[in-house]
Amino acid sequence: MKLRLTLSRRGQVVLAEGELQVLGSVLCERCLGAMPLSLRVPLRVGIGESEAAVEALDPELDAVVAANGILDLQTWLEDETLLALPMVPRCEIWVEGPCSVSNMVPPQVTN
């Protein structure tokens, strides 16, 4: 994981802007093989003690609540990564023959 983040205080809210990059692998829902995954997650959030404080600064910002002024950075970044994952991960285009990622061959469907 690679994180680039710029923080700037705006009253009682901290504006966090940057990008999260994640490299890994997931199972393809089509061939069930391991497929590489590269995510670039743009980040633009307001960090504050309440959602109302962030909304007062800019209603367009996603709010990240830092209870008592403390932010659980790992949990926040894990949540951002999970939200960026594809709902149905699939290898590129696989029409016939072996999958270009896993080398698996699709089962033949008989009527």
Side-chain angles (χ1 to χ4, degrees):
M1 176 178 6
K2 184 177 180 182
L3 177 65
R4 180 185 52 79
L5 201 58
T6 301
L7 303 173
S8 57
R9 180 166 287 286
R10 305 287 165 89
Q12 296 197 2
V13 174
V14 173
L15 178 61
E17 297 179 288
E19 182 179 72
L20 174 64
Q21 295 176 20
V22 179
L23 297 174
S25 67
V26 294
L27 286 182
C28 170
E29 291 292 326
R30 184 178 290 127
C31 71
L32 299 179
M35 98 180 192
L37 181 70
S38 174
L39 295 175
R40 287 182 176 262
V41 183
L43 299 172
R44 187 170 188 278
V45 302
I47 303 169
E49 290 200 27
S50 70
E51 288 185 26
V54 174
E55 190 171 303
L57 174 67
D58 183 346
E60 298 295 315
L61 285 175
D62 288 332
V64 175
V65 177
N68 299 318
I70 299 171
L71 173 64
D72 184 345
L73 185 63
Q74 181 174 344
T75 299
W76 170 48
L77 295 176
E78 285 174 357
D79 288 347
E80 292 291 342
T81 302
L82 288 173
L83 290 170
L85 289 172
M87 289 187 79
V88 182
R90 291 189 185 134
C91 299
E92 292 295 317
I93 297 174
W94 184 28
V95 179
E96 61 185 4
C99 171
S100 62
V101 173
S102 68
N103 245 357
M104 295 182 74
V105 177
Q108 297 298 319
V109 178
T110 58
N111 291 331

